[in-house]
Amino acid sequence: MEDNEITKEILSWKGTRWRHLQSVKSEGVDCIQFPVAVAKNLGWLPANFKTIKYSRDWAIHNSRSILVEELSKVATCLSSGKEEILTCCQLKPGDVFVFNIDKAAGHTGMFLEDGMFLHAHVRRGVILEPLSLYKDKLHSVWRFNK
């Protein structure tokens, strides 16, 4: 699949508002369902793939990252640790960034190009931002097993 097709699918979610446990383009999606929905639409995950249920504030109150545990079942960790991520990865559109939220890794976004990524922000919906704004919270980078 061409990078421009991947980028087009990711960008088609821009402006979708944030809704916990939802994944309906232009209607509502949360940060975890966003990359799952994109991966399904691109054929990287089966259409019937379902995530486990999770509470909205899991990462705030728990040190165990269920996000990383579940992601490891369908994706390969390219790197972890801020310096390694920012200097050694050969990032491609669709790579998934995982960020630390309070006690655990609990937020995701998808890489586009030129240091930019999309993520579902709880108050602003799916937005495009530079990774540099979140580099201090970066936990790891993943690529879906295709």
Side-chain angles (χ1 to χ4, degrees):
M1 179 169 289
E2 299 289 324
D3 285 354
N4 62 342
E5 294 173 86
I6 297 167
T7 298
K8 184 178 177 182
E9 173 59 28
I10 294 168
L11 282 172
S12 72
W13 286 82
K14 188 176 176 189
T16 301
R17 63 184 152 186
W18 188 93
R19 297 247 175 162
H20 183 60
L21 292 173
Q22 300 300 305
S23 61
V24 180
K25 194 183 296 186
S26 301
E27 291 296 321
V29 69
D30 71 17
C31 71
I32 294 170
Q33 297 305 316
F34 168 56
V36 169
V38 168
K40 285 180 180 182
N41 291 345
L42 293 171
W44 299 345
L45 288 175
N48 64 350
F49 178 85
K50 298 213 184 296
T51 60
I52 62 170
K53 296 220 181 213
Y54 49 90
S55 66
R56 180 176 170 178
D57 60 354
W58 175 271
I60 295 171
H61 304 292
N62 296 278
S63 57
R64 181 178 137 239
S65 176
I66 56 174
L67 168 59
V68 169
E69 289 173 12
E70 291 299 305
L71 196 52
S72 69
K73 296 174 184 176
V74 296
T76 300
C77 184
L78 300 176
S79 63
S80 59
K82 293 177 191 114
E83 299 308 315
E84 182 184 352
I85 291 169
L86 297 175
T87 60
C88 298
C89 273
Q90 297 297 324
L91 297 172
K92 294 183 179 182
D95 286 348
V96 177
F97 295 123
V98 174
F99 301 94
N100 285 318
I101 302 296
D102 290 314
K103 294 182 180 182
H107 184 65
T108 65
M110 295 191 87
F111 181 72
L112 284 177
E113 58 190 5
D114 299 326
M116 300 298 286
F117 79 109
L118 250 73
H119 65 114
H121 187 280
V122 69
R123 287 181 294 283
R124 299 181 345 203
V126 179
I127 56 173
L128 178 66
E129 292 193 292
L131 178 61
S132 60
L133 294 178
Y134 295 85
K135 68 181 181 181
D136 291 340
K137 294 179 185 274
L138 202 50
H139 175 275
S140 52
V141 178
W142 299 76
R143 186 169 292 154
F144 282 103
N145 302 328
K146 303 167 194 165

